[in-house]
């Protein structure tokens, strides 16, 4: 493991282009592989998680050309041809999105595939996907019914279902919809509160008949008509708002900072962190709002700000589900108390993120209380730092505490920087170009 340490910085200034959106990148490869014709993808996140999806699709017969250098990816879609059984076990590394979405996708073809992952992915619950997909006719063999490694035995004519998600999860929703592509009739998914809608937007962009209706109680009903003809279209992937959130918090808490992050997805179902940080007093503006491949995008401008603690509205949690580690860092510098609730899903991310945040805050000298699904951070005193945080195969924990190091009294280190490559290759270099001092521990 290679560690990294982040030293207090005097200011952050400049323009920084963060890598492509992880969720959209996975989906552009998957949908490109299915569509009739050739898809090009510009701005794909070439992070480890997305490369796992590319390799898995290739192992199942998709024709994906890796560009020689960073550039435009080209996919010759299968059209009516099927995905096929991979020759070997498919290793999906750290990537929950690859695992869950590909279970739904592969399940709609008459193939057999074994999926495995790293220690983090092997601990994550898969029953939430296995249950609905089994109802549709996909078969699974697992050692304990819920975890990887698992074997998928697909079928080419699945049964459409009507399914209410027990938890707000875009991965589970997407797995069902991807299986629904191969079910005759309407597959209907109801989500208790709306989650990221990239699957719906992108399938519609390619010609699928898919509708999404918000009910009076705030739930969302998505209906997909099976066996659509998907026609290849080119995708331009915007920058990832979850990655941009690290730079945003960095600029807010480091004095004399002014940072511009161009071309970021500001999809309302992803932008909860920006609303929250603004409510905390953050000077954040969305400049030049526009659309790219059906996604709302903007250039995000952030200047250092005096923050104050707030209560995060629970209804906003799904739209910032990956941003609680970095929000907790912002909260450490905010005057007063920040209260976060409805965080149960954080316990089943790349690590038990709620526990990891609480542990990291305690180590860096920040007062915080963790409940079963709540977190209270008492801010206002500059965190002490001067410690090493265990990344535990969780990229967002690693990056969040490096961000804290920019404005803590003493440097903050992490024990493993490799995990950052899953979603944000080049993170340290990009931060350093703005004025950060992140280097080998
Ligand atoms: C994702 C959905 C979210 C998120 C993950 C990416 C997706 O997971 O945490 O990083 O691309 O659909 P859940 O569906 O488990 O909330």
């Amino acid at each position: 493991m290679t560690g990294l340490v982040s030293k207090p910085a005097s200011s952050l200034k400049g323009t920084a282009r963060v890598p492509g959106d992880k969720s959209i990148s996975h989906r552009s490869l998957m949908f490109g592989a299915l569509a009739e014709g050739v898809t090009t993808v510009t701005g794909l996140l070439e992070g480890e998680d997305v490369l796992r999806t590319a390799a898995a699709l290739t192992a199942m017969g998709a024709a994906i050309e890796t560009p020689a250098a960073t550039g435009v990816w080209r996919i010759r879609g299968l059209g009516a041809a099927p995905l096929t059984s991979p020759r070997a076990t498919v290793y999906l590394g750290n990537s929950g999105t690859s695992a869950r979405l590909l279970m739904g996708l592969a399940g709609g073809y008459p193939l057999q595939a074994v999926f495995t992952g790293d220690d983090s992915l092997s601990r994550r619950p898969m029953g939430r996907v296995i249950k609905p997909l089994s109802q549709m006719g996909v078969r699974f063999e697992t050692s304990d019914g819920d975890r990887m490694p698992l074997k998928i035995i697909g079928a080419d004519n699945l049964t459409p279902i009507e399914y209410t998600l027990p938890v707000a999860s875009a991965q589970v929703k997407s797995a069902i919809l991807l299986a629904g592509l191969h079910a005759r009739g309407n597959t209907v998914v109801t989500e208790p509160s709306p989650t990221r809608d990239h699957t719906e937007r992108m399938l519609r962009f390619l010609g699928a008949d898919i509708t999404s209706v918000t009910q009076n109680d705030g739930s969302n009903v998505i209906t997909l008509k099976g066996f659509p003809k998907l026609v290849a279209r080119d995708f331009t992937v915007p920058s990832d708002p979850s990655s941009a959130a690290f730079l945003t918090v960095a600029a807010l808490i480091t004095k004399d900072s002014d940072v511009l992050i161009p071309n970021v997805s500001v999809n309302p179902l992803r932008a909860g962190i920006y609303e929250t940080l603004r409510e905390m007093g953050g000077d954040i503006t969305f400049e030049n709002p526009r659309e790219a491949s059906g996604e709302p995008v903007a250039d995000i401008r952030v200047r250092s700000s005096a923050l104050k603690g707030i209560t995060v509205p629970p209804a906003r949690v799904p739209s910032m589900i990956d941003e609680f580690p970095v929000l907790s860092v912002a909260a450490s510098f905010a005057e007063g108390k920040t209260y976060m609730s409805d965080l149960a899903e954080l316990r089943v991310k790349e690590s038990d993120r709620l526990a990891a945040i609480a542990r990291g805050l305690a180590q860096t000298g920040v007062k915080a209380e963790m409940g079963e699904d709540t977190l209270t951070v008492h801010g206002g005193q500059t965190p002490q730092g001067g410690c090493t945080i265990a990344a535990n195969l969780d990229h967002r924990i690693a990056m969040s505490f490096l961000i804290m190091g920019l404005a803590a009294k003493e440097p903050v280190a992490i024990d493993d920087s490799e995990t950052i490559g899953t979603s944000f290759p080049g993170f340290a270099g990009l931060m350093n170009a703005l004025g950060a001092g992140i280097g080998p521990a």
Side-chain angles (χ1 to χ4, degrees), residues 107 111-112 130 133-134 137-141 151-155 158:
L111 58 74
Q112 298 198 4
I130 292 174
L133 293 180
S134 301
V138 186
R139 286 186 295 138
F140 293 92
E141 288 172 12
K151 183 175 187 178
I152 303 163
I153 303 158
L158 299 175

Side-chain angles (χ1 to χ4, degrees), residues 85-107:
S85 301
R87 284 213 195 96
T89 294
V90 177
Y91 179 67
L92 298 170
N94 193 249
S95 181
T97 308
S98 309
R100 297 197 177 114
L101 270 59
L102 288 173
M103 283 162 72
L105 187 60

Side-chain angles (χ1 to χ4, degrees), residues 192-423:
S193 46
T195 63
R196 66 190 68 194
D197 59 354
H198 308 300
T199 297
E200 297 91 304
R201 281 175 186 260
M202 292 172 80
L203 285 176
R204 197 173 300 126
F205 186 64
L206 299 185
D209 183 347
I210 180 165
T211 58
S212 181
V213 180
T214 305
Q215 311 290 104
N216 288 338
D217 63 358
S219 66
N220 216 10
V221 180
I222 300 122
T223 306
L224 168 74
K225 196 164 165 209
F227 291 97
K229 185 171 161 55
L230 301 178
V231 181
R233 287 182 71 176
D234 295 337
F235 288 117
T236 303
V237 182
S239 290
D240 195 320
S242 298
S243 298
F246 296 109
L247 278 74
T248 301
V249 171
L252 291 174
I253 63 174
T254 307
K255 55 185 181 326
D256 299 325
S257 297
D258 186 347
V259 169
L260 184 72
I261 318 161
N263 202 41
V264 184
S265 162
V266 289
N267 181 323
L269 294 170
R270 296 289 300 284
I273 183 67
Y274 298 99
E275 220 175 325
T276 301
L277 290 169
R278 272 199 203 110
E279 283 173 13
M280 293 171 77
D283 181 351
I284 302 170
T285 45
F286 288 175
E287 298 179 352
N288 191 15
R290 57 202 182 272
E291 241 188 49
S293 301
E295 276 287 310
V297 299
D299 307 327
I300 301 182
R301 177 93 185 256
V302 194
R303 297 180 180 91
S304 352
S305 306
L307 301 177
K308 59 176 195 316
I310 61 160
T311 293
V312 180
R316 196 182 290 157
V317 170
S319 68
M320 52 180 293
I321 191 66
D322 290 334
E323 280 66 72
F324 284 93
V326 80
L327 174 65
S328 305
V329 170
S332 307
F333 291 88
E335 203 56 54
K337 189 169 84 176
T338 298
Y339 178 70
M340 305 161 234
S341 58
D342 269 37
L343 304 182
E345 278 296 296
L346 262 57
R347 297 224 181 251
V348 290
K349 293 294 177 188
E350 285 82 332
S351 68
D352 177 344
R353 268 189 191 153
L354 195 47
I357 296 168
R359 237 183 353 254
L361 293 179
Q363 268 185 277
T364 49
V366 178
K367 199 172 157 240
E369 289 116 34
M370 176 180 73
E372 206 151 295
D373 68 345
T374 61
L375 184 70
T376 309
V377 179
H378 302 271
Q381 268 162 21
T382 305
Q384 187 62 38
C387 56
T388 301
I389 305 292
N392 277 330
L393 295 175
D394 191 331
H395 52 135
R396 300 200 197 280
I397 294 296
M399 287 186 275
S400 296
F401 283 97
L402 288 174
I403 295 299
M404 180 186 271
L406 300 173
K409 287 185 188 146
E410 293 173 47
V412 176
I414 56 158
D415 65 346
D416 173 22
S417 60
E418 275 137 49
T419 183
I420 294 173
T422 60
S423 70

Side-chain angles (χ1 to χ4, degrees), residues 28 32 37-42 72-75 232-237:
S28 58
V38 175
T39 297
T40 63
V41 187
T42 309
V72 180
W73 285 63
R74 201 165 168 277
I75 307 153
R233 287 182 71 176
D234 295 337
F235 288 117
T236 303
V237 182

